[in-house]
Every structure is written in structure tokens, then in C-alpha cells.
């Protein structure tokens, strides 16, 4: 009997998912789930949200406590324009602004030249009370067409990463430094970042996440107000105005350099541990 289109699509999705884990070096887990000897970490089966994951994401964000003591903090990263103070030196912990209010304020934005070529403003998507936020660079063609962040090829990879953490896209919040697509997917220019990033800062203040993951250099450099390369800071806990922040590679980079997926998976395990999500250690 010929295979139905639905079956073919399902099998292809499964194949892609297995390929993703294979790339992470986790293939043995799927070949033999009872074996604990072949890799250090088992991700949750991504199709379902684990109880612990769903619980933590349902909780309202924890109040921010004393400053964290990360191995490396933003204080060791030279800010851009070292003569002046940072634009924002502390998170607006008292912000009661809602995402809707911030979106209203953004309006049909014409604050920078990107408005001339965009089709849709891509504000952000996900849980307004998320404990985990992913920040990317800016929308690509698919995002510009659909009005949602990370829905193209890189977005599919990000979705797989989120599911490998035992979470679902709707549990986290996803947004970008700039809300309009830079033409030809070029990097956003400094004036565009300057015009748009205050909306990102307000989104972060509104959500008050426990962890911010910066996807790639633009997000890292914008939040830390630095021009330093992400490569020295990838995978390290940093401080962004009192929020715990961890920079990692952008999914688009991973599409070009699949070998780097293992590093990103290590970074995401740190995030999982911080959020109290189950990270299974290798049995001795
Ligand atoms: N790349 C990004 O940085 N953001 C998106 O939303 C999509 C691709």
C-alpha cells in the first residue's frame, strides 16, 4: 500500500530530528535508551513537555535577588564608548509595562530606514511570563513574511533546540534586536540598532526572565554595549543589568557549521541547570 503523505511528512520530521541529535553527538541515546554509558547528557524526548519543564515555565518569574556572582560578568567586558556611562545601568525591575503596551508604542514604526523595505514588524513571540528569553539579530525573509521570529530554517533549528531542552516554543519568549528585516539579511547597522534596541530592553524589563540567551554576536554586543567578539564569552554566564545572560552561537551559524552544535548544546545544558530543568549526568 502506498505510504500516505502524512506518514511521509512525519517520517521526514523524525529523520530531521534524529539528524539534529546525531549532530549533537547524542545518537547512541536514541539507538539504545536503556544504555547510560555512551554520552554524558540525555535530552528529553522533545515531542512532549516534561512535567518539570512545564511547571517551571508556568511559575511566575522569581523576584530578582542579590547580584549574581558569575565567573565572568559584564564588568570585564569593555563597553562601547568607554568614556560615558552605559545607557542603562540597572534593569527596570519595577517596570509594569506590558508587552502589548510596548507593541502599541512601537506602532507602525518609521524610526529607522528599515521601515522602508520591511513587510511586517516582527515584535516577538511566546510567553509574556517566560523565565527564558532567546534574543536573535533581526528577522529574515520568512519572518518578514509571517510576522513571527525564527520561523525559517534557522528558526526550525532553534525550535529543535528548545524542544531538546524539554520545552516548547510557547514556554519561552523569542525576539530580536531589530524588529524589521535588514535588506538582503545584512547585519543591522548601528543607527538601526540604536533606534530599535530600546524596545528590546523594554521587552526584557517587562518579562523579567530568569535567563536571557543571546543568539549570536549582535544580541550579545547590543545587550552588553560592547564591540568585543562573542567567541571569548560564548557559554559563559554574564550579567545584563541584573539578569543572567548567556551568549551562544546563532542557529544560522550552526546551519553553516554543524560541528558547533555540540558547543551550543553544552551551553543550553547550563541554562537548563539554571532553570531547574532535568539535566541527566552520565552514570559512573
Ligand atoms: N535570524 C534572527 O536573528 N532572527 C530571526 O527571527 C530569524 C533569523
Amino acid at each position: 500500500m502506498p505510504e500516505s503523505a502524512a506518514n511521509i511528512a512525519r517520517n521526514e520530521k523524525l529523520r530531521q530530528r534524529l539528524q539534529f541529535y546525531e549532530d549533537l553527538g547524542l545518537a547512541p541515546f536514541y539507538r539504545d535508551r536503556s544504555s547510560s554509558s555512551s554520552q554524558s547528557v540525555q535530552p528529553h524526548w522533545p515531542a512532549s513537555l516534561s512535567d518539570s519543564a512545564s511547571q517551571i515555565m508556568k511559575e511566575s518569574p522569581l523576584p530578582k535577588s542579590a547580584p549574581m556572582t558569575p565567573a565572568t560578568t559584564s564588568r570585564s567586558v569593555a563597553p562601547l564608548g568607554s568614556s560615558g556611562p552605559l545607557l542603562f545601568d540597572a534593569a527596570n525591575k519595577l517596570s509594569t509595562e506590558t508587552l502589548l503596551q510596548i507593541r502599541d508604542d512601537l506602532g507602525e514604526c518609521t524610526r529607522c530606514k528599515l521601515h522602508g523595505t520591511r513587510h511586517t514588524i516582527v515584535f516577538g513571540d511566546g510567553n509574556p511570563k517566560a523565565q527564558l528569553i532567546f534574543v536573535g539579530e533581526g528577522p529574515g525573509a520568512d519572518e518578514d513574511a509571517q510576522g513571527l521570529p525564527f520561523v525559517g530554517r534557522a528558526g526550525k533549528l532553534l525550535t529543535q533546540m528548545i524542544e531538546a531542552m524539554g520545552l516548547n516554543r510557547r514556554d519561552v519568549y523569542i525576539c530580536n534586536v531589530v524588529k524589521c528585516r535588514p535588506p538582503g539579511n545584512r547585519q543591522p547597522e548601528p543607527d538601526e540598532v540604536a533606534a530599535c534596541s530600546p524596545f528590546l530592553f523594554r521587552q526584557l524589563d517587562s518579562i523579567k526572565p530568569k535567563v536571557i540567551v543571546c543568539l549570536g554576536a549582535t544580541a550579545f554586543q547590543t545587550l552588553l554595549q560592547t564591540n568585543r567578539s562573542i567567541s571569548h564569552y560564548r557559554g559563559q554566564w554574564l550579567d545584563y543589568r541584573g539578569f543572567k545572560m548567556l551568549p551562544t552561537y546563532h542557529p544560522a551559524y550552526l546551519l553553516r557549521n554543524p560541528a558547533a552544535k555540540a558547543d551550543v548544546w553544552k551551553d543550553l545544558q547550563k541554562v537548563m541547570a539554571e532553570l531547574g530543568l532535568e539535566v541527566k549526568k552520565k552514570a559512573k
Side-chain angles (χ1 to χ4, degrees):
M1 205 165 59
E3 228 181 330
S4 74
N7 265 346
I8 293 171
R10 217 179 1 256
N11 286 342
E12 175 55 18
K13 212 172 160 201
L14 186 60
R15 192 195 62 73
Q16 285 176 8
R17 196 159 279 175
L18 289 173
Q19 179 63 54
F20 171 69
Y21 290 116
E22 193 113 27
D23 289 343
L24 294 179
L26 296 174
F29 170 58
Y30 293 96
R31 295 206 186 99
D32 177 7
R33 297 191 75 174
S34 63
S35 161
S36 58
S37 61
S38 21
Q39 76 290 310
S40 58
V41 178
Q42 299 174 347
H44 295 254
W45 185 252
S48 65
L49 184 62
S50 73
D51 287 348
S52 62
S54 96
Q55 183 52 40
I56 195 152
M57 289 301 149
K58 272 188 215 135
E59 285 170 11
S60 32
L62 295 174
K64 296 203 168 305
S65 50
M68 57 169 191
T69 50
T72 309
T73 74
S74 57
R75 277 181 284 283
S76 64
V77 180
L80 281 176
S82 53
S83 56
L86 288 177
L87 273 182
F88 301 90
D89 56 4
N92 184 357
K93 293 173 190 162
L94 299 179
S95 167
T96 54
E97 210 177 22
T98 65
L99 290 176
L100 209 57
Q101 287 166 331
I102 301 166
R103 179 64 189 87
D104 273 354
D105 188 22
L106 183 63
E108 274 307 299
C109 187
T110 56
R111 290 170 182 82
C112 85
K113 56 189 177 301
L114 292 181
H115 83 273
T117 45
R118 69 151 187 257
H119 288 103
T120 324
I121 293 177
V122 181
F123 181 67
D125 186 39
N127 182 349
K129 293 198 166 166
Q131 295 209 5
L132 173 59
I133 298 187
F134 290 92
V135 182
E137 179 177 286
D142 294 304
E143 291 77 18
D144 181 53
Q146 296 183 42
L148 291 169
F150 283 98
V151 289
R153 270 185 78 221
K156 289 201 170 64
L157 183 55
L158 176 62
T159 302
Q160 288 179 324
M161 286 156 48
I162 292 167
E163 290 176 348
M165 297 173 79
L167 299 171
N168 194 294
R169 269 180 77 113
R170 66 177 170 271
D171 300 312
V172 304
Y173 192 79
I174 306 174
C175 58
N176 285 302
V177 172
V178 296
K179 314 299 187 206
C180 297
R181 182 190 182 207
N185 295 342
R186 65 159 169 76
Q187 275 195 333
E189 290 171 358
D191 60 312
E192 297 157 357
V193 172
C196 211
S197 55
F199 291 93
L200 168 64
F201 304 149
R202 286 164 65 185
Q203 284 172 299
L204 301 175
D205 284 347
S206 167
I207 296 172
K208 301 178 180 57
K210 209 170 167 195
V211 172
I212 300 166
V213 172
C214 286
L215 299 170
T218 300
F220 159 75
Q221 292 176 341
T222 301
L223 291 192
L224 287 197
Q225 304 271 297
T226 185
N227 55 4
R228 295 225 179 162
S229 154
I230 188 176
S231 54
H232 293 109
Y233 299 96
R234 197 221 93 238
Q236 295 195 37
W237 285 116
L238 303 172
D239 176 77
Y240 162 69
R241 297 164 62 230
F243 292 105
K244 283 199 112 176
M245 189 268 256
L246 185 134
T248 194
Y249 294 131
H250 193 287
Y253 174 80
L254 297 182
L255 291 173
R256 298 190 301 274
N257 301 280
K261 284 182 187 172
D263 283 335
V264 171
W265 181 237
K266 275 191 218 135
D267 299 345
L268 295 181
Q269 286 172 66
K270 287 190 183 177
V271 172
M272 289 161 71
E274 182 63 30
L275 294 176
L277 301 176
E278 193 183 357
V279 180
K280 289 182 184 160
K281 292 272 183 298
K282 182 178 175 178
K284 289 215 173 114

